[in-house]
């Protein structure tokens, strides 16, 4: 029986950069999750009888919301749902499954790198038929619908067994529980030279991969330990846990500190990596050599031709505006386009679909290519391993060679978290108000050449996205960027991106903090961060 349930609307269901993210207890309110799912369905046309992909990162509430989605999909007329066994699907694996199955779209249940547990975060994101995040016209429609919705449809039925691979019926809808790992692992094997990587590992190369008790555990065990024959124990924290083992599954130098310390130890492995809650971000560390996400994007692009899947070369490189310009110099040398987009993988999706770019990346540890329409943590690790196997050099040697060729973009991101939203908005408003007066002025960072609020015109459809971040550019090519992030669930997060470029003949071995010290002071002087936020130091530096 299909039930039509009367419901009040909620005023806080506007999706952010990566869907709707709230505290678990918000999603546990009566009707809350159902309202958002129905708002998604009500904003779509033509899905009757079509296939929907559903899965998540295994965080707290994942299994319960999957059952809601299954019953609502059946009530709303979907013909088939593919769900990962146990409710598990990494975000890149979900993107691949949508594309592979010809699905209409998918619902990914995750709050990405945010912590999990009954007092932590949950999220729902809708991805369209190309496997990528819904574009703004869809998320705007979802937000508008959520404000006026007054009922939702749900099947009055028992829960579906999602722990056994196979097919069943839910009302008139087919439910197929699928292996969440196999198709994705097969895709990775088609892109990279697994034989060369296996030989490198057999020859004594050592690696460590931290799954952070999050979704990539099963994928990493299958790929690194089974298919690539790395020793048992190579994958750490490989079992997905609802609370991520009480850890914060964000692969940065704060939350993946144990891996960092191991890689800096005298007996460190040759290569270390980690991924985040839903598997779309990565951390790369060589022995005694941390690689920034911006540098990683540039190195991957410069060496991608060494992997079979990219042997024909790249069509273009795309990076988010806050990401350093390191990849720009690679694109220039390769003679291919470089696209600077707003933050959000959906902007890359248009370029990938149009065949204008092959590799994309964000400074927030997300890199990927045209194999799916999401960033992909394990993909980045495998491309690094493929490069190491072919070049037969250490990570440190590859980085030194890269900087000697292209120069070095010293780069850091300072995050000021959980700021009162009114104060964060006031800071950004004040910055925008002084943009016209900043050029020609001098501060600790030097003389300001220009200042603007980044706007992007999508070359594929000419759509315009404004107010994407305030940029302060200096005469020597350095810059400071200010942007409010939409990935948190409490207050606002101010991200400050600081970058200084040094050419191949300059000082390439400075400590990042020393190289950026004048620009860090300039950011404080221009924005009065401590005055608006009450914070004298960032919450996190990456």
């Amino acid at each position: 029986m299909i039930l039509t349930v009367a419901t009040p609307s909620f005023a806080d269901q506007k999706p952010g950069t990566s869907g709707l993210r709230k505290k678990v207890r918000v999603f546990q309110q009566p009707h809350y999750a159902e309202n958002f799912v129905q708002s998604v369905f009500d904003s779509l046309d033509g899905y009757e009888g079509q296939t929907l992909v559903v899965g998540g990162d295994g965080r707290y509430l994942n299994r319960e919301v999957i059952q809601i989605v299954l019953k609502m999909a059946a009530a709303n007329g979907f013909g088939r749902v593919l769900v990962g066994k146990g409710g598990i699907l990494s975000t890149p694996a979900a993107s691949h499954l949508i594309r592979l199955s010809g699905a209409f779209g998918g619902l990914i249940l995750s709050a990405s790198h945010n912590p999990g547990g009954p007092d932590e975060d949950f999220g729902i994101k809708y991805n369209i038929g190309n496997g990528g995040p819904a574009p703004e016209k869809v998320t705007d429609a979802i937000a508008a619908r959520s404000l006026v919705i007054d009922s939702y449809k749900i099947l009055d039925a028992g829960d579906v067994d999602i722990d056994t691979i196979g097919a069943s019926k839910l009302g008139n809808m087919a439910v197929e529980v699928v292996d969440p790992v196999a198709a994705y692992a097969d895709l990775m094997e088609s892109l990279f030279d697994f034989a060369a990587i296996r030989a490198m590992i057999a020859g004594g190369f050592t690696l460590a991969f931290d799954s952070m008790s999050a979704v990539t555990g099963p994928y990493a065990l299958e790929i690194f330990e089974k298919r690539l024959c790395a020793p048992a124990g190579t994958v750490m924290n490989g079992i997905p846990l609802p609370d991520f083992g009480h850890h914060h599954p964000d692969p940065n130098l704060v939350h993946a500190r144990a891996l960092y310390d191991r890689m800096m130890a005298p007996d460190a492995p040759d290569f270390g990596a980690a991924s985040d809650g839903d598997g779309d971000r990565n951390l790369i560390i060589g022995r005694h050599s941390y690689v920034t996400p911006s540098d990683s994007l540039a190195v991957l692009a410069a060496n991608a031709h060494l992997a079979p899947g990219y042997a024909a070369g790249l069509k273009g490189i795309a990076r988010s505006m806050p990401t350093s310009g390191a990849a720009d110099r690679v694109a220039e040398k390769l003679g291919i386009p470089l696209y600077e987009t707003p933050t959000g993988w959906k902007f890359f999706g248009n370029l990938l679909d149009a065949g204008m770019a092959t590799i994309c990346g964000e400074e927030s540890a997300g890199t990927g290519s045209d194999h799916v329409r999401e960033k992909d943590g394990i993909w980045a690790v495998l491309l690094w391993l493929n490069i190491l196997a072919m070049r037969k050099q250490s990570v440190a040697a590859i980085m030194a060679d890269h900087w000697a060729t292209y120069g070095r973009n010293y780069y850091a991101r300072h995050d000021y978290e959980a700021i009162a939203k009114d104060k964060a908005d006031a800071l950004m408003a004040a910055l925008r108000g002084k943009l016209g007066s900043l050029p020609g002025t001098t501060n600790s960072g030097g003389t300001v050449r220009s200042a603007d609020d980044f706007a992007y015109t999508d070359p594929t459809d000419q759509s315009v996205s404004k107010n994407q971040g305030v940029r302060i550019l200096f005469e020597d090519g350095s810059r400071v960027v200010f942007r409010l992030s939409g990935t948190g669930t409490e207050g606002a997060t101010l991200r400050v991106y600081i970058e200084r470029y040094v050419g191949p003949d300059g000082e390439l071995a400075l400590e990042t903090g020393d190289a950026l010290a004048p620009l860090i002071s300039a950011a404080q002087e221009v924005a009065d961060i401590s005055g608006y936020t009450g914070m004298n130091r960032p919450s996190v530096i990456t």
Side-chain angles (χ1 to χ4, degrees):
M1 181 183 296
I2 296 175
L3 304 178
T4 300
V5 181
T7 178
S9 62
F10 295 89
D12 61 347
Q13 293 196 333
K14 179 178 173 60
T17 304
S18 297
L20 180 68
R21 295 182 186 174
K22 300 289 180 182
K23 289 297 181 185
V24 163
R25 298 197 188 282
V26 174
F27 272 101
Q28 287 176 321
Q29 295 175 90
H31 311 300
Y32 193 89
E34 292 89 341
N35 272 27
F36 185 72
V37 172
Q38 189 67 56
S39 296
V40 172
F41 294 162
D42 287 352
S43 303
L44 307 175
D45 292 315
Y47 61 78
E48 292 78 8
Q50 299 290 318
T51 297
L52 181 73
V53 168
V54 179
D57 59 16
R59 69 178 55 234
Y60 191 91
L61 207 62
N62 189 67
R63 296 175 67 92
E64 294 86 344
V65 175
I66 282 177
Q67 296 293 343
I68 290 171
V69 170
L70 292 175
K71 295 169 189 176
M72 292 186 66
N76 279 273
F78 278 92
R80 179 176 69 150
V81 169
L82 303 180
V83 57
K85 179 184 176 183
I88 293 295
L89 272 176
S90 76
T91 290
S95 179
H96 177 52
L97 186 57
I98 292 169
R99 295 167 63 81
L100 184 68
S101 66
F104 186 87
L107 285 170
I108 301 174
L109 311 184
S110 173
S112 188
H113 54 291
N114 293 7
D119 297 315
E120 299 296 350
D121 299 341
F122 188 77
I124 306 178
K125 180 174 73 166
Y126 179 69
N127 280 32
I128 59 176
N130 75 345
E136 287 181 320
K137 64 181 179 181
V138 175
T139 56
D140 287 347
I142 294 169
R145 179 60 182 158
S146 73
L147 295 174
V148 297
I149 192 170
D150 58 7
S151 67
Y152 58 85
K153 295 178 183 178
I154 190 166
L155 201 68
D156 184 13
D159 285 354
V160 176
D161 175 9
I162 61 173
D163 294 310
T164 304
I165 291 176
S168 62
K169 295 286 283 189
L170 184 61
N172 294 322
M173 185 183 76
V175 177
E176 295 181 25
V177 179
V178 301
D179 184 330
V181 175
Y184 173 84
D186 289 345
L187 175 63
M188 294 299 103
E189 196 158 4
S190 75
L191 294 173
F192 302 112
D193 190 339
F194 273 34
I197 300 171
R198 266 194 303 270
M200 178 176 69
I201 292 171
F205 180 89
T206 53
L207 64 148
F209 183 86
D210 190 349
S211 289
M212 305 191 83
S213 300
V215 79
T216 54
Y219 298 86
L221 288 166
E222 171 66 24
I223 293 171
F224 300 130
E225 295 194 7
K226 292 184 180 179
R227 300 198 185 194
L228 293 175
C229 302
T234 293
V235 176
M236 304 174 292
N237 301 312
I239 298 175
L241 300 174
D243 63 355
F244 306 121
H246 301 292
H247 294 140
H248 192 146
D250 190 353
N252 61 38
L253 300 186
V254 174
H255 301 303
R257 189 72 194 185
L259 176 66
Y260 177 84
D261 290 343
R262 182 176 178 186
M263 295 306 301
M264 297 299 139
D267 59 347
D270 294 298
F271 182 80
S275 191
D276 70 328
D278 67 332
D280 63 359
R281 299 184 184 215
N282 69 86
L283 171 66
I284 303 296
I285 313 178
R287 178 186 288 147
H288 308 158
S289 179
Y290 164 65
V291 182
T292 71
S294 294
D295 276 344
S296 181
L297 170 64
V299 170
L300 294 179
N303 294 276
H305 63 281
L306 299 175
Y310 307 94
L314 308 180
K315 298 172 182 175
I317 304 170
R319 65 164 176 84
S320 63
M321 179 273 289
T323 302
S324 91
D328 303 34
R329 293 169 177 85
V330 174
E332 182 180 11
K333 183 171 183 178
L334 294 176
I336 59 176
L338 185 287
Y339 302 96
E340 184 181 34
T341 75
T343 296
W345 209 261
K346 56 194 172 187
F347 296 102
F348 295 145
N350 287 348
L351 297 169
L352 296 171
D353 283 348
M356 300 170 71
T358 305
I359 285 183
C360 308
E362 298 179 331
E363 52 69 39
S364 54
T367 41
S369 82
D370 55 0
H371 69 291
V372 291
R373 294 298 181 269
E374 289 277 6
K375 46 187 177 275
D376 189 345
I378 285 182
W379 171 89
V381 174
L382 286 168
L383 182 48
W384 261 102
L385 289 174
N386 202 143
I387 293 166
L388 290 165
M390 301 308 293
R391 290 188 54 164
K392 297 178 171 55
Q393 295 174 285
S394 68
V395 172
I398 288 174
M399 291 310 308
D401 180 67
H402 186 88
W403 293 332
T405 302
Y406 297 97
R408 183 174 181 181
N409 291 72
Y410 288 99
Y411 184 87
R413 187 182 87 191
H414 290 196
D415 289 357
Y416 297 81
E417 298 177 338
I419 305 168
K421 191 172 186 308
D422 59 339
K423 294 181 179 179
D425 289 341
L427 183 153
M428 293 302 295
L431 266 176
R432 290 185 168 107
K434 65 172 68 171
L435 288 177
S437 62
L438 282 174
T441 62
T442 300
N443 55 42
S444 295
T447 300
V448 176
R449 185 182 77 232
S450 64
D452 64 12
D453 197 349
F454 180 65
Y456 174 68
T457 300
D458 192 314
T460 68
D461 61 11
Q462 303 307 305
S463 60
V464 177
S465 299
K466 298 181 179 180
N467 301 320
Q468 297 297 314
V470 170
R471 302 187 297 181
I472 312 297
L473 294 92
F474 293 87
E475 293 285 1
D476 66 354
S478 300
R479 67 173 184 158
V480 178
V481 175
F482 302 84
R483 176 178 164 271
L484 295 184
S485 170
T487 61
T489 58
E490 285 187 313
T493 296
L494 172 68
R495 300 201 196 282
V496 184
Y497 311 87
I498 304 149
E499 179 178 4
R500 174 190 169 194
Y501 174 68
V502 174
D505 298 327
E507 295 182 280
L508 301 177
L510 297 173
E511 289 294 326
T512 298
D514 295 336
L516 298 179
L519 292 166
I520 293 169
S521 297
Q524 171 61 39
E525 293 164 19
V526 170
D528 189 17
I529 297 170
S530 60
Y532 280 97
T533 69
M535 302 173 70
N536 293 318
R537 60 181 59 87
S539 310
V540 178
I541 297 176
T542 53

